[in-house]
Amino acid sequence: MTEPLSARTPATPLRPSACPGLLRIVPALDGGICRIKLPGGVITAAQAFAVAEAAERFAGGVIEATNRGNLQIRGIAADHDGLIATLLDAGLGPKNPASDDVRNLMLSPAVGIDPLQLFDARPLAAQMLHSLETHPRFHELSPKFALSLDAGEGLAMLEHPHDLWLSALNVNGETLLGFGLAGCPATESPLAAVTLEEGHALVVAVLELFLEHARPEQTRMRHLLQEMSAARLLERLAERLQLPLRHDQKITAWRRAPALPNAHIGLYPQRQSGLISVGGAVPLGRLSPSMLRSAATLSVELGDGSLAMTPWQSLMLRNVAHDQCASALEGLCGAGLLCDPGQALSQLIACTGSFGCGKGLSETKAGALQLADYLQEQGVSPAVHLSGCSRSCAAAHVAPITLLAVSAGRYDLYFRHADQPGFGELRGRDLTIEAVGALLTADSRSNTDD
Ligand code: SF4
């Protein structure tokens, strides 16, 4: 007999937050939003079927792939309990209901199978997630407090800022875990490093120290660092861990090699001989239930029975036999995924926009479709982010090109620039999508002409 929902939800009320969770459905203009956090971005085929069913039965059938490798259902009608029960029955809830918000650990979608990885991060990731879920004090962390673990994979999101990031590096033949606070390995060097064996203790100690020193309003690591220097925090950390943190120049000057661009789209090799991963971008981050079911079915027939959701709002079939990769690619394309990075739409991201969000100044997804058509005709495919307001929900990092809505159908155009804060250098004001398309086409051609 199915356990009643009340027995599986926390006895104390969920803390208020604007962030959706599996147990906290937040309202939007187009209905409720439920966010399903996936450990390492992985969902089994059976769970994907349950999400598709829940989106159809209890909502308007819109499933979103998020930029943290999670899924969310939007447009949810009145029966929240029915939707939550369907997802819990599929095993998509947290081990401890109070920990739903804090399961924020970013991994490579190719964790454990990437040819370039320096170690298999899955066991350490499992320890970290276990601690987040079972350590009661950690449930006080903000739903936005997030960690990343990078084992040196070629397929890695390195640009998203994290409260604590860890990156594998090789020093004199030894693999260490460098780490940094309130930043990301794409632009920063580690503050210090520990051995792989010390990695889990390090994470626990950083989180405990944060909770001990941060005032309630200091919800993110960057807030604490405004009052307590990183050097002081490192001292405290070394005392707590009772080991010297390694911060010689080889570590503090180390820089992470860039990840492979667009490696999540199409075929990606695996370290396991005879196997390959196959990925496709989710158009503007939105899946229909039938798309999700088709991808899940392919994973059962050709892969390992699971889907890896990526931080680029795409999904991957993993452990596909080499002689099946053409069928897998064809199947994903047939399901509506974008499996060629030359498809202009595969390079565009857009937030919900004014159709579903009260803060939006323009219908960003409609604008993105219009822009993709224009760029496809011109044969160019730049990476562009359309944002309905300055909150930048669709991109946790600054995209190479940003269109910031200023009114319905009109945008300011920015190009990312290392010396300019925010979205970068302002290159055009109050532009229509056609005007943006013409400018981006000219820019792409000037960058590729000899
Ligand atoms: S970026 Fe602004 S308009 Fe877009 S979803 Fe976020 S809050 Fe809404």
Side-chain angles (χ1 to χ4, degrees):
M1 197 174 79
T2 305
E3 197 181 4
L5 183 58
S6 58
R8 291 176 282 163
T9 49
T12 49
L14 287 170
R15 57 192 168 161
S17 169
C19 289
L22 191 140
L23 306 168
R24 185 196 305 106
I25 294 174
V26 303
L29 287 184
D30 55 347
I33 304 174
C34 173
R35 184 169 297 158
I36 306 157
K37 294 191 173 171
L38 305 173
V42 176
I43 185 167
T44 67
Q47 290 172 330
F49 274 102
V51 171
E53 185 201 336
E56 274 176 346
R57 279 183 62 196
F58 303 105
V62 174
I63 303 160
E64 293 184 320
T66 77
N67 60 22
R68 292 197 56 81
N70 293 317
L71 286 172
Q72 58 189 30
I73 297 174
R74 59 184 309 131
I76 298 165
D79 188 0
H80 293 188
D81 283 356
L83 177 124
I84 292 170
T86 302
L87 300 176
L88 291 178
D89 285 345
L92 286 160
K95 285 193 188 75
N96 176 340
S99 71
D100 185 38
D101 280 342
V102 298
R103 299 183 294 162
N104 301 322
L105 173 62
M106 171 89 75
L107 303 175
S108 163
V111 62
I113 59 175
D114 194 292
L116 299 180
Q117 71 188 29
L118 296 180
F119 76 107
D120 182 346
R122 288 174 293 188
L124 175 56
Q127 283 182 300
M128 290 166 66
L129 272 172
H130 182 77
S131 290
L132 285 167
E133 294 207 59
T134 57
H135 195 320
R137 187 84 208 271
F138 293 168
H139 304 162
E140 296 168 27
L141 292 166
S142 156
K144 291 187 184 299
F145 197 98
L147 287 62
S148 74
L149 173 58
D150 154 40
E153 297 93 348
L155 184 56
M157 171 52 82
L158 304 173
E159 297 175 312
H160 281 189
H162 282 89
D163 295 274
L164 168 62
W165 60 264
L166 302 108
S167 262
L169 66 155
N170 194 305
V171 177
N172 302 331
E174 184 185 10
T175 300
L176 299 174
L177 267 181
F179 65 93
L181 304 171
C184 64
T187 56
E188 288 159 30
S189 296
L191 294 169
V194 295
T195 65
L196 296 183
E197 294 70 34
E198 293 159 351
H200 178 242
L202 169 85
V203 170
V204 170
V206 169
L207 298 186
E208 286 176 347
L209 273 178
F210 173 80
L211 288 164
E212 282 167 23
H213 290 280
R215 295 192 305 276
E217 69 275 18
Q218 293 175 317
T219 55
R220 306 296 301 274
M221 187 63 80
R222 65 175 185 273
H223 302 145
L224 180 61
L225 291 177
Q226 285 164 2
E227 287 185 3
M228 182 178 194
S229 71
R232 183 78 192 111
L233 205 60
L234 288 186
E235 276 173 30
R236 292 277 168 90
L237 199 52
E239 285 163 19
R240 176 165 299 234
L241 287 168
Q242 296 194 316
L243 55 88
L245 299 172
R246 295 167 69 163
H247 45 78
D248 52 78
Q249 219 240 343
K250 279 193 174 149
I251 290 162
T252 56
W254 177 83
R255 292 306 294 266
R256 172 60 156 96
L260 303 173
N262 282 318
H264 59 110
I265 299 178
L267 306 181
Y268 187 70
Q270 292 188 198
R271 64 193 294 108
Q272 296 85 357
S273 129
L275 296 176
I276 196 160
S277 295
V278 184
V282 175
L284 299 180
R286 288 205 168 169
L287 288 155
S288 66
S290 71
M291 286 168 80
L292 186 57
R293 283 194 187 98
S294 298
T297 301
L298 283 168
S299 80
V300 172
E301 293 173 351
L302 304 173
D304 60 9
S306 71
L307 299 172
M309 305 305 304
T310 83
W312 302 274
Q313 295 177 295
S314 62
L315 62 79
M316 301 185 81
L317 309 174
R318 302 180 302 174
N319 297 311
V320 175
H322 266 282
D323 60 1
Q324 300 274 22
C325 68
S327 303
L329 203 55
E330 197 181 323
L332 286 183
C333 293
L337 281 296
L338 305 164
C339 300
D340 176 354
Q343 289 170 277
L345 190 55
S346 75
Q347 303 300 312
L348 302 191
I349 54 174
C351 73
T352 302
S354 57
F355 184 77
C357 174
K359 295 190 174 66
L361 297 176
S362 186
E363 287 199 25
T364 45
K365 289 203 189 284
L369 288 174
Q370 190 188 347
L371 181 62
D373 284 346
Y374 186 102
L375 296 172
Q376 194 70 44
E377 272 179 27
Q378 304 301 317
V380 296
S381 51
V384 186
H385 164 212
L386 290 87
S387 194
C389 78
S390 58
R391 290 164 70 100
S392 187
C393 295
H397 64 290
V398 179
I401 298 167
T402 299
L403 293 181
L404 177 62
V406 291
S407 62
R410 301 188 83 94
Y411 297 84
D412 285 349
L413 170 65
Y414 293 85
F415 277 44
R416 184 166 65 193
H417 195 291
D419 300 330
Q420 304 228 15
F423 294 123
E425 181 187 358
L426 181 61
R427 296 276 281 267
R429 277 191 191 279
D430 200 21
L431 302 173
T432 62
I433 288 292
E434 292 83 357
V436 169
L439 277 170
L440 296 186
T441 302
D443 181 75
S444 292
R445 292 200 175 130
S446 71
N447 283 335
T448 51
D449 288 348
D450 285 338

mmCIF file of all heavy atoms in Angstrom, residues 217-235:
data_model
loop_
_atom_site.group_PDB
_atom_site.id
_atom_site.type_symbol
_atom_site.label_atom_id
_atom_site.label_comp_id
_atom_site.label_asym_id
_atom_site.label_seq_id
_atom_site.Cartn_x
_atom_site.Cartn_y
_atom_site.Cartn_z
ATOM 1 N N GLU A 217 21.535 36.138 7.644
ATOM 2 C CA GLU A 217 21.330 36.827 6.363
ATOM 3 C C GLU A 217 22.491 36.575 5.383
ATOM 4 O O GLU A 217 22.395 36.913 4.206
ATOM 5 C CB GLU A 217 21.125 38.337 6.580
ATOM 6 C CG GLU A 217 22.337 39.107 7.056
ATOM 7 C CD GLU A 217 22.512 39.080 8.582
ATOM 8 O OE1 GLU A 217 21.911 38.197 9.241
ATOM 9 O OE2 GLU A 217 23.256 39.930 9.092
ATOM 10 N N GLN A 218 23.567 35.992 5.881
ATOM 11 C CA GLN A 218 24.708 35.679 4.990
ATOM 12 C C GLN A 218 24.503 34.263 4.444
ATOM 13 O O GLN A 218 25.048 33.297 4.962
ATOM 14 C CB GLN A 218 26.018 35.778 5.768
ATOM 15 C CG GLN A 218 26.323 37.205 6.203
ATOM 16 C CD GLN A 218 27.559 37.291 7.084
ATOM 17 O OE1 GLN A 218 27.756 36.470 7.976
ATOM 18 N NE2 GLN A 218 28.384 38.291 6.825
ATOM 19 N N THR A 219 23.750 34.163 3.373
ATOM 20 C CA THR A 219 23.331 32.850 2.895
ATOM 21 C C THR A 219 24.337 32.210 1.942
ATOM 22 O O THR A 219 24.252 31.013 1.690
ATOM 23 C CB THR A 219 21.972 32.949 2.180
ATOM 24 O OG1 THR A 219 22.085 33.934 1.138
ATOM 25 C CG2 THR A 219 20.876 33.354 3.149
ATOM 26 N N ARG A 220 25.250 32.990 1.411
ATOM 27 C CA ARG A 220 26.200 32.450 0.432
ATOM 28 C C ARG A 220 27.630 32.686 0.890
ATOM 29 O O ARG A 220 27.917 33.593 1.675
ATOM 30 C CB ARG A 220 25.985 33.132 -0.941
ATOM 31 C CG ARG A 220 24.559 33.058 -1.461
ATOM 32 C CD ARG A 220 24.116 31.630 -1.737
ATOM 33 N NE ARG A 220 24.953 30.955 -2.709
ATOM 34 C CZ ARG A 220 24.771 31.020 -4.028
ATOM 35 N NH1 ARG A 220 23.754 31.715 -4.529
ATOM 36 N NH2 ARG A 220 25.581 30.377 -4.859
ATOM 37 N N MET A 221 28.535 31.872 0.379
ATOM 38 C CA MET A 221 29.944 31.985 0.793
ATOM 39 C C MET A 221 30.495 33.382 0.500
ATOM 40 O O MET A 221 31.293 33.924 1.277
ATOM 41 C CB MET A 221 30.762 30.922 0.047
ATOM 42 C CG MET A 221 32.184 30.808 0.490
ATOM 43 S SD MET A 221 32.364 30.296 2.214
ATOM 44 C CE MET A 221 32.116 28.526 2.078
ATOM 45 N N ARG A 222 30.072 33.978 -0.608
ATOM 46 C CA ARG A 222 30.607 35.307 -0.945
ATOM 47 C C ARG A 222 30.225 36.341 0.123
ATOM 48 O O ARG A 222 30.970 37.292 0.355
ATOM 49 C CB ARG A 222 30.136 35.752 -2.330
ATOM 50 C CG ARG A 222 28.656 35.983 -2.471
ATOM 51 C CD ARG A 222 28.293 36.550 -3.850
ATOM 52 N NE ARG A 222 26.884 36.868 -3.933
ATOM 53 C CZ ARG A 222 25.921 36.025 -4.288
ATOM 54 N NH1 ARG A 222 26.262 34.793 -4.644
ATOM 55 N NH2 ARG A 222 24.660 36.381 -4.337
ATOM 56 N N HIS A 223 29.086 36.134 0.774
ATOM 57 C CA HIS A 223 28.700 37.065 1.845
ATOM 58 C C HIS A 223 29.663 36.943 3.029
ATOM 59 O O HIS A 223 30.098 37.943 3.592
ATOM 60 C CB HIS A 223 27.275 36.772 2.332
ATOM 61 C CG HIS A 223 26.245 36.852 1.250
ATOM 62 N ND1 HIS A 223 25.143 36.042 1.206
ATOM 63 C CD2 HIS A 223 26.162 37.644 0.153
ATOM 64 C CE1 HIS A 223 24.421 36.332 0.137
ATOM 65 N NE2 HIS A 223 25.026 37.300 -0.517
ATOM 66 N N LEU A 224 29.989 35.712 3.385
ATOM 67 C CA LEU A 224 30.895 35.510 4.528
ATOM 68 C C LEU A 224 32.287 36.064 4.213
ATOM 69 O O LEU A 224 32.936 36.672 5.062
ATOM 70 C CB LEU A 224 30.981 34.013 4.864
ATOM 71 C CG LEU A 224 31.888 33.656 6.033
ATOM 72 C CD1 LEU A 224 31.403 34.315 7.321
ATOM 73 C CD2 LEU A 224 31.963 32.146 6.227
ATOM 74 N N LEU A 225 32.717 35.881 2.953
ATOM 75 C CA LEU A 225 34.071 36.327 2.591
ATOM 76 C C LEU A 225 34.200 37.853 2.587
ATOM 77 O O LEU A 225 35.312 38.382 2.568
ATOM 78 C CB LEU A 225 34.467 35.766 1.221
ATOM 79 C CG LEU A 225 34.699 34.254 1.176
ATOM 80 C CD1 LEU A 225 35.014 33.786 -0.226
ATOM 81 C CD2 LEU A 225 35.820 33.836 2.133
ATOM 82 N N GLN A 226 33.080 38.558 2.613
ATOM 83 C CA GLN A 226 33.164 40.017 2.714
ATOM 84 C C GLN A 226 33.596 40.439 4.113
ATOM 85 O O GLN A 226 34.093 41.540 4.319
ATOM 86 C CB GLN A 226 31.800 40.651 2.398
ATOM 87 C CG GLN A 226 31.485 40.629 0.910
ATOM 88 C CD GLN A 226 30.020 40.892 0.608
ATOM 89 O OE1 GLN A 226 29.213 41.139 1.511
ATOM 90 N NE2 GLN A 226 29.677 40.852 -0.668
ATOM 91 N N GLU A 227 33.423 39.531 5.076
ATOM 92 C CA GLU A 227 33.785 39.877 6.462
ATOM 93 C C GLU A 227 34.958 39.070 6.988
ATOM 94 O O GLU A 227 35.653 39.497 7.897
ATOM 95 C CB GLU A 227 32.592 39.624 7.391
ATOM 96 C CG GLU A 227 31.525 40.644 7.209
ATOM 97 C CD GLU A 227 30.408 40.465 8.203
ATOM 98 O OE1 GLU A 227 30.506 39.582 9.069
ATOM 99 O OE2 GLU A 227 29.438 41.215 8.087
ATOM 100 N N MET A 228 35.136 37.909 6.424
ATOM 101 C CA MET A 228 36.199 37.024 6.929
ATOM 102 C C MET A 228 37.069 36.656 5.724
ATOM 103 O O MET A 228 36.550 36.139 4.733
ATOM 104 C CB MET A 228 35.544 35.772 7.515
ATOM 105 C CG MET A 228 36.496 34.795 8.118
ATOM 106 S SD MET A 228 35.517 33.419 8.807
ATOM 107 C CE MET A 228 36.752 32.642 9.817
ATOM 108 N N SER A 229 38.354 36.944 5.803
ATOM 109 C CA SER A 229 39.200 36.708 4.624
ATOM 110 C C SER A 229 39.318 35.211 4.340
ATOM 111 O O SER A 229 39.176 34.373 5.248
ATOM 112 C CB SER A 229 40.587 37.300 4.852
ATOM 113 O OG SER A 229 41.270 36.520 5.821
ATOM 114 N N ALA A 230 39.609 34.908 3.085
ATOM 115 C CA ALA A 230 39.795 33.507 2.709
ATOM 116 C C ALA A 230 40.974 32.917 3.487
ATOM 117 O O ALA A 230 40.940 31.753 3.903
ATOM 118 C CB ALA A 230 40.027 33.392 1.205
ATOM 119 N N ALA A 231 42.012 33.739 3.720
ATOM 120 C CA ALA A 231 43.187 33.250 4.455
ATOM 121 C C ALA A 231 42.791 32.827 5.875
ATOM 122 O O ALA A 231 43.230 31.786 6.380
ATOM 123 C CB ALA A 231 44.257 34.338 4.497
ATOM 124 N N ARG A 232 41.934 33.640 6.514
ATOM 125 C CA ARG A 232 41.496 33.310 7.881
ATOM 126 C C ARG A 232 40.657 32.030 7.883
ATOM 127 O O ARG A 232 40.797 31.175 8.757
ATOM 128 C CB ARG A 232 40.669 34.495 8.420
ATOM 129 C CG ARG A 232 40.214 34.326 9.838
ATOM 130 C CD ARG A 232 41.342 34.602 10.827
ATOM 131 N NE ARG A 232 40.990 34.178 12.171
ATOM 132 C CZ ARG A 232 41.547 33.160 12.814
ATOM 133 N NH1 ARG A 232 42.498 32.453 12.245
ATOM 134 N NH2 ARG A 232 41.186 32.854 14.035
ATOM 135 N N LEU A 233 39.810 31.937 6.864
ATOM 136 C CA LEU A 233 38.967 30.742 6.755
ATOM 137 C C LEU A 233 39.840 29.492 6.550
ATOM 138 O O LEU A 233 39.578 28.428 7.122
ATOM 139 C CB LEU A 233 37.990 30.918 5.590
ATOM 140 C CG LEU A 233 36.694 30.129 5.653
ATOM 141 C CD1 LEU A 233 35.879 30.479 6.882
ATOM 142 C CD2 LEU A 233 35.860 30.390 4.402
ATOM 143 N N LEU A 234 40.894 29.636 5.759
ATOM 144 C CA LEU A 234 41.799 28.500 5.538
ATOM 145 C C LEU A 234 42.503 28.097 6.823
ATOM 146 O O LEU A 234 42.704 26.912 7.092
ATOM 147 C CB LEU A 234 42.833 28.840 4.467
ATOM 148 C CG LEU A 234 42.352 28.914 3.012
ATOM 149 C CD1 LEU A 234 43.540 29.109 2.079
ATOM 150 C CD2 LEU A 234 41.575 27.684 2.606
ATOM 151 N N GLU A 235 42.870 29.095 7.623
ATOM 152 C CA GLU A 235 43.515 28.773 8.917
ATOM 153 C C GLU A 235 42.575 27.942 9.785
ATOM 154 O O GLU A 235 42.955 26.934 10.368
ATOM 155 C CB GLU A 235 43.832 30.072 9.678
ATOM 156 C CG GLU A 235 45.127 30.730 9.294
ATOM 157 C CD GLU A 235 45.244 32.088 9.997
ATOM 158 O OE1 GLU A 235 44.690 32.247 11.113
ATOM 159 O OE2 GLU A 235 45.853 32.976 9.407
#
